[in-house]
Amino acid sequence: MSTVLASAPAAPVAPPPRDRRFSLPILLLVIAGGLVALAAVRAITGANDLTSHGAVRAALQSAVPIGLAGLGGLWAERAGVVNIGLEGQMIFGTWFGAWAGFHWGPWAGVLAAVAGGALGGLLHALATVTFGVDHIISGVAITILAGGATRYLSQLAFQGLPGGGVTQSPPVPELPRLSVPGASVLDRVERAHWFLASDLAGILRGALTDVSTLTIVAALLVPLTFWVLWRTAFGLRLRSVGENPHAAESLGVNVYRYKYYGVVISGALAGLGGAFLSMVASSIYRESQTGGRGYIGLAAMIFGNWRPGGLASGALLFGYTDALQLRGGSQSVHALLLFLAFVLAAVGLWQVLRGRRTVGAVAIGAAVLVGLWYATTDAIPAEFVQAAPHITTLVVLALASQRLRMPAADGQRYRRGG
Amino acid sequence: MSTDAAPAAPAAGADEPPAVQLRGITKRFPGVVANHDIDLSVRRGTIHAIVGENGAGKSTLMKTLYGMHRPDSGEILIDGDRIVFHSPQQAISAGIGMVHQHFMLADNFTVLENIVLGAEKLHGIGAAAARRIRELSRQYGLGVDPEALVEDLGVGDRQRVEILKVLYRGARVLILDEPTAVLVPQEVDELFENLRQLTREGLTVIFISHKLHEVLAVADAITVIRRGTTVAAVDPGEVTPRQLAALMVGSELPSPEARESTVTDVPVLAVAGLSVRTAGGRSLVEDVSFTIHRGEVVGIAGVEGNGQAELIEAIMGMRPSTGRVTLDGVDVSERGTRKRREAGLGYIPADRHRQGLLLDAPLWENRMLGHQTEAPNARGWLLNNRGARRDTERIVAEYDVRTPGADVPAAALSGGNQQKLIVGREMSHTPKVLLAAHPTRGVDIGAQAAIWEHIKRARREGMGVLLISADLDELIGLSDTLKVIFRGRFVAEADPAAVTPEQLGLAMTGCG
């Protein structure tokens, strides 16, 4: 019998593996294309702030805390723990950063913020890993706890100090800022408003001059995270715990311990993001300074498909829209409509070329509508400008989440031997 | 190394100590003695099968050997040396590896990552490790690519990855726990070829199974376990499947044969022009029509993946389809699954862990599933927990479900007992038609016979049955009408009284 069965035609062949990631050349091409489109939009609309060094600097400023929160989320979720307490750990970071920074100088502040965030992470790990509490419940509880605890601590530590109070700290000394020597020549090129050249100059100038040391640290943490998680045995174990903890356990990996590592590092990174808010983005701790950036960081991480590179681009995207909004950029956001129309048209063409007519047609139709909106108006309502970062978050997530892949055991309770 | 795989010829000299020897192993758990006085001797370079019914104590014994728990008495000798294991890590370093029945693989990892995890110290996690894996894969003819993503691999490849995982850690003795449970026939043949290659290279394989024809096909030596102890050590060349089965269950065997016909001419389920497509528009089932009469068992033969699973799910209303399904004169095509069940469709799913059971829920809750609107599980709008519990106890008694009680989670039961619970549940509501997908898959011989008996009795009482099975003997033995499905269409019909498994197998491949 089995010989007859064995001669059966091979079972339908599995479809060839999908292309999982953009290859590097395509990625560079997309970036270059986006840059040219942005430069064209600036040249057409005259909204010079789109690529000015100020906008880029502000974008970085906004992106860093989001990116650090996102990195924090990445570490926790790669170990299989959803850390929605990032917001709370960030709050700890803002407070401890300002408190220690005020007393012992900025670098002590950074360390204290990291420790404060890590403490929040430890609490989350204790609840979710050791006691098996639902990850969302624990995370929300930590966020609420952080708000209350910092207010209480402010009463003890800040009240009565010059400039301090229940809701804010006294001014905190700044971290050093660095510039690449010679980058100031870019200034002249930028002001000439040449197509592409001035745009590049503006972007480079924003990224290379007057950069906070903490921004540099944050930027370095992205490749470092990739290296640790994907190129070391430690990272392999940590990720295995998020993909299939039972398999990891069967191979002698201490699942609980690696989950603890992931969540505590997660909290530490969120704390660092908090330090950036209270010590770099402003020079003072204020209550609710985080303003939901922990959650936006999670969104950036999801947008980045649980990978450091994607997460960083997500953070930059959110940071950029936030920067334009902060700079009162009704004109800039209006110009962005044209950019959006370009992007939608390009996506639509690409889809049509790949044979997916309906999706392509919808995208091109949307491009025409957005283009019409741009052509028939002169400005965007101020309310809409303020909401732009949040709307971008929503739209991007709605579009991107179709083909994302989270760690397989993410958010699940794990019991040893269970 | 001897390339001659003749089963009876010992590959090694007679004075060489056995690769693995167990003497008088006894293991008690609270309330039960899982193993007592186990004696086992495995020669190096052989495939040694351990057969026994589910619950006979095979897995307990292997866990003992793999260091997952310690025996209460008795001793383990590896290559003649007495060894006490406190953990699997010690067993691994003594050269014993376990390939689990359920794969322990992370889908989103590459083969390389899955293999080196936990053993990073051996060759790192980079190019050196990949080289070592390719080397092993070549040496043992496994054909595994370390860069492939596990989620792209089929079941057979995954199993080879599991085997490689063990080899990579330097195992000389491999324990395979029911390795064929998840494989289709071609994959089983490939696995056996792999295992023979392993023994040719001097490794020792311990093969746990309850599928007798497989054991007889591959093993060099067989040890039979019954009720926790070793009852016989036999030579596969000198024993027939029926003798072996009799050793396993301790008595003579029933067969699926059900020749006296009970078929009536009253149609009870009529399917007309049923088609199922994937979301992408690919056809899975194409324009299938058939009728089941009262007292008739219609068997569907087909190589797995030819649409039989989708056909059953479509009839249950679990999968969108076109075409008409008429149950006892009532058109149920537009009804949802619950309405269809209430109208008299019973269902034994192919995968009882994915459908059919909530593993973490107690038996009495599982007893309600799918019948939560009917007595004795419900009174009007409310659930009747007490009624369900009482009825579960009845099912446990009538269907011989071996369990400490109705309150244990379903996961605590062996596969055969889980299946008996499902059969009991479905039969308790006297369905007009029973859709049975692989009703005895992964079930031991005793439970198999009991399930056959229940299906035959229900058929005598006028139930119609649609039967899918990969076990062609079962299919031929139980069915009154046989249809062959190939690429979503019925391509042939066969008379179960005349057809042989060989002819049927040929038809299933589309050449019949």
Side-chain angles (χ1 to χ4, degrees):
Chain A
M1 178 181 93
S2 63
T3 51
V4 175
L5 282 175
S7 68
V13 255
R18 292 151 285 150
D19 208 4
R20 262 160 238 288
R21 263 174 281 157
F22 292 119
S23 60
L24 190 64
I26 292 189
L27 195 68
L28 290 176
L29 209 65
V30 167
I31 291 176
L35 214 58
V36 171
L38 200 60
V41 165
R42 184 195 57 81
I44 293 169
T45 60
N48 288 328
D49 199 37
L50 275 182
T51 57
S52 74
H53 73 276
V56 172
R57 193 174 288 160
L60 274 181
Q61 191 102 305
S62 299
V64 167
I66 293 172
L68 283 171
L71 273 183
L74 180 77
W75 275 86
E77 299 214 0
R78 279 287 170 187
V81 177
V82 172
N83 188 0
I84 205 151
L86 283 172
E87 179 76 7
Q89 288 139 15
M90 249 182 144
I91 293 175
F92 280 128
T94 54
W95 192 91
F96 280 101
W99 172 69
F102 172 75
H103 286 292
W104 301 287
W107 288 109
V110 170
L111 289 182
V114 168
L119 205 67
L122 189 66
L123 195 61
H124 191 52
L126 191 72
T128 56
V129 180
T130 303
F131 296 119
V133 175
D134 182 272
H135 301 183
I136 304 295
I137 292 176
S138 164
V140 170
I142 284 172
T143 303
I144 295 171
L145 172 78
T150 47
R151 173 166 266 242
Y152 172 71
L153 289 172
S154 295
Q155 271 177 353
L156 294 182
F158 294 152
Q159 219 166 15
L161 291 175
V166 185
T167 60
Q168 65 177 46
S169 74
V172 183
E174 270 202 59
L175 284 160
R177 286 174 177 272
L178 303 175
S179 294
V180 173
S184 48
V185 283
L186 294 167
D187 181 34
R188 234 170 333 132
V189 185
E190 189 192 345
R191 268 187 295 178
H193 298 316
W194 294 323
F195 173 69
L196 206 53
S198 300
D199 300 292
L200 278 175
I203 291 168
L204 283 177
R205 188 176 166 210
L208 296 181
T209 60
D210 204 18
V211 180
S212 167
T213 34
L214 213 49
T215 306
I216 297 168
V217 169
L220 290 178
L221 279 171
V222 175
L224 183 71
T225 293
F226 175 81
W227 185 80
V228 171
L229 284 183
W230 274 271
R231 292 286 179 268
T232 67
F234 172 83
L236 177 67
R237 287 171 173 231
L238 192 131
R239 285 185 299 127
S240 76
V241 158
E243 291 287 342
N244 188 343
H246 297 286
E249 183 89 60
S250 79
L251 296 174
V253 175
N254 187 334
V255 174
Y256 291 169
R257 188 192 300 164
Y258 280 87
K259 278 180 184 281
Y260 262 88
Y261 289 150
V263 180
V264 169
I265 292 172
S266 167
L269 287 166
L272 188 63
F276 188 92
L277 285 174
S278 65
M279 301 174 65
V280 178
S282 64
S283 54
I284 186 175
Y285 159 82
R286 249 179 295 106
E287 204 169 79
S288 31
Q289 195 167 22
T290 54
R293 282 181 183 78
Y295 303 117
I296 299 182
L298 271 183
M301 176 201 69
I302 294 169
F303 167 76
N305 199 10
W306 286 265
R307 293 190 145 261
L311 170 166
S313 29
L316 283 173
L317 179 69
F318 298 144
Y320 183 63
T321 45
D322 197 31
L324 291 185
Q325 177 262 122
L326 281 176
R327 292 165 67 82
S330 176
Q331 193 201 9
S332 308
V333 176
H334 185 240
L336 269 190
L337 283 179
L338 189 61
F339 180 68
L340 184 63
F342 280 168
V343 170
L344 280 171
V347 168
L349 276 177
W350 186 54
Q351 295 284 12
V352 168
L353 283 179
R354 287 178 62 211
R356 298 169 64 178
R357 300 246 168 91
T358 353
V359 182
V362 169
I364 291 175
V368 171
L369 283 179
V370 174
L372 274 178
W373 184 9
Y374 170 77
T376 53
T377 53
D378 289 328
I380 296 249
E383 296 81 0
F384 189 83
V385 172
Q386 276 171 18
H390 306 277
I391 293 173
T392 318
T393 313
L394 276 177
V395 171
V396 163
L397 279 185
L399 293 178
S401 60
Q402 307 296 324
R403 41 175 59 204
L404 297 180
R405 171 77 185 252
M406 68 167 177
D410 197 9
Q412 290 170 14
R413 205 176 86 124
Y414 175 76
R415 291 287 97 183
R416 192 172 279 158
Chain B
M1 277 305 124
S2 155
T3 51
D4 173 13
D15 51 343
E16 194 191 27
V20 176
Q21 192 170 18
L22 304 179
R23 285 192 199 143
I25 296 283
T26 297
K27 177 70 190 171
R28 294 181 199 85
F29 290 117
V32 283
V33 181
N35 284 152
H36 61 96
D37 294 329
I38 295 265
D39 285 304
L40 177 68
S41 174
V42 180
R43 286 195 318 272
R44 185 193 319 281
T46 61
I47 300 177
H48 193 113
I50 296 178
V51 299
E53 291 192 273
N54 284 338
K58 304 183 300 270
S59 296
T60 306
L61 178 62
M62 288 306 114
K63 283 179 179 167
T64 307
L65 181 54
Y66 190 54
M68 288 163 87
H69 53 228
R70 289 176 64 188
D72 297 313
S73 63
E75 54 184 12
I76 301 172
L77 288 86
I78 307 295
D79 292 331
D81 300 326
R82 193 160 177 273
I83 288 182
V84 179
F85 294 138
H86 298 276
S87 75
Q89 268 67 41
Q90 282 177 308
I92 291 168
S93 54
I96 295 178
M98 174 95 131
V99 176
H100 295 274
Q101 183 179 1
H102 301 287
F103 299 151
M104 294 277 200
L105 296 172
D107 286 355
N108 203 14
F109 274 20
T110 62
V111 168
L112 171 81
E113 289 175 318
N114 268 295
I115 291 176
V116 302
L117 177 63
E120 301 91 346
K121 291 215 172 69
L122 293 177
H123 308 281
I125 65 170
R131 235 183 348 261
R132 177 70 186 142
I133 291 168
R134 285 208 184 86
E135 206 176 289
L136 283 170
S137 172
R138 236 191 335 269
Q139 184 183 355
Y140 297 109
L142 296 173
V144 169
D145 170 17
E147 309 300 334
L149 205 58
V150 166
E151 89 180 333
D152 294 334
L153 299 183
V155 177
D157 281 320
R158 287 176 195 225
Q159 192 160 49
R160 283 187 278 279
V161 174
E162 284 282 7
I163 292 174
L164 254 181
K165 225 157 94 174
V166 172
L167 295 176
Y168 187 81
R169 287 160 171 75
R172 308 293 300 158
V173 177
L174 275 76
I175 306 170
L176 285 90
D177 188 3
E178 307 222 357
T180 60
V182 289
L183 301 181
V184 297
Q186 299 94 312
E187 292 170 332
V188 170
D189 291 342
E190 286 174 29
L191 171 69
F192 288 175
E193 194 37 57
N194 293 145
L195 295 186
R196 290 195 191 98
Q197 177 72 22
L198 293 176
T199 53
R200 275 199 286 274
E201 297 282 333
L203 302 191
T204 307
V205 174
I206 299 179
F207 180 94
I208 304 175
S209 182
H210 58 249
K211 293 184 183 163
L212 302 178
H213 60 278
E214 292 178 356
V215 165
L216 288 169
V218 74
D220 300 318
I222 300 174
T223 298
V224 182
I225 294 191
R226 186 169 76 223
R227 296 211 186 102
T229 191
T230 41
V231 293
V234 295
D235 185 324
E238 296 166 3
V239 68
T240 67
R242 286 191 76 79
Q243 288 168 333
L244 196 54
L247 282 171
M248 272 168 67
V249 294
S251 62
E252 271 304 310
L253 290 171
S255 78
E257 304 287 317
R259 277 293 164 252
E260 84 285 15
S261 176
T262 59
V263 183
T264 63
D265 53 6
V266 188
V268 62
L269 179 78
V271 172
L274 186 110
S275 298
V276 178
R277 281 168 202 292
T278 59
R282 198 163 58 81
S283 172
L284 296 171
V285 177
E286 189 67 45
D287 193 23
V288 162
S289 304
F290 62 92
T291 305
I292 301 179
H293 301 90
R294 285 174 59 89
E296 184 182 27
V297 178
V298 174
I300 296 183
V303 177
E304 218 151 312
N306 273 292
Q308 56 271 63
E310 290 78 11
L311 173 65
I312 280 207
E313 289 184 2
I315 297 174
M316 276 312 290
M318 296 154 61
R319 194 179 264 277
S321 62
T322 55
R324 215 174 42 240
V325 178
T326 313
L327 179 63
D328 205 13
V330 184
D331 185 353
V332 295
S333 314
E334 300 302 317
R335 297 194 189 176
T337 303
R338 179 161 63 83
K339 292 284 181 199
R340 292 189 194 203
R341 291 190 72 115
E342 286 170 359
L345 273 184
Y347 180 42
I348 301 176
D351 181 348
R352 56 185 165 261
H353 291 181
R354 204 163 63 79
Q355 299 171 341
L357 288 177
L358 291 174
L359 288 177
D360 292 330
L363 298 191
W364 61 270
E365 280 188 14
N366 275 294
R367 191 259 166 269
M368 293 189 184
L369 297 179
H371 304 284
Q372 64 275 27
T373 54
E374 300 165 53
N377 303 325
R379 251 188 318 232
W381 289 91
L382 298 175
L383 287 179
N384 180 0
N385 290 357
R386 198 180 308 160
R389 205 183 287 253
R390 224 181 2 248
D391 200 57
T392 308
E393 274 151 22
R394 178 188 63 79
I395 290 176
V396 164
E398 277 184 23
Y399 289 80
D400 190 28
V401 181
R402 310 239 170 105
T403 168
D407 282 312
V408 300
L413 268 55
S414 73
N417 286 314
Q418 291 174 349
Q419 193 74 348
K420 284 190 273 188
L421 178 77
I422 292 179
V423 172
R425 173 179 78 198
E426 298 304 317
M427 294 298 191
S428 299
H429 294 267
T430 51
K432 291 171 182 153
V433 174
L434 178 71
L435 308 180
H438 306 285
T440 60
R441 175 186 275 180
V443 157
D444 59 76
I445 292 177
Q448 192 177 36
I451 290 169
W452 285 338
E453 205 39 61
H454 289 302
I455 291 178
K456 284 188 232 170
R457 200 192 62 213
R459 164 176 166 274
R460 275 199 299 278
E461 289 164 6
M463 184 177 74
V465 179
L466 182 64
L467 175 70
I468 291 179
S469 180
D471 178 348
L472 298 185
D473 291 320
E474 170 178 273
L475 209 51
I476 293 172
L478 282 180
S479 301
D480 298 300
T481 314
L482 265 176
K483 292 175 191 299
V484 180
I485 193 168
F486 182 66
R487 298 201 177 142
R489 294 170 186 274
F490 285 159
V491 292
E493 240 181 86
D495 177 5
V499 75
T500 64
E502 286 74 20
Q503 291 166 334
L504 201 56
L506 208 58
M508 284 158 59
T509 63
C511 346

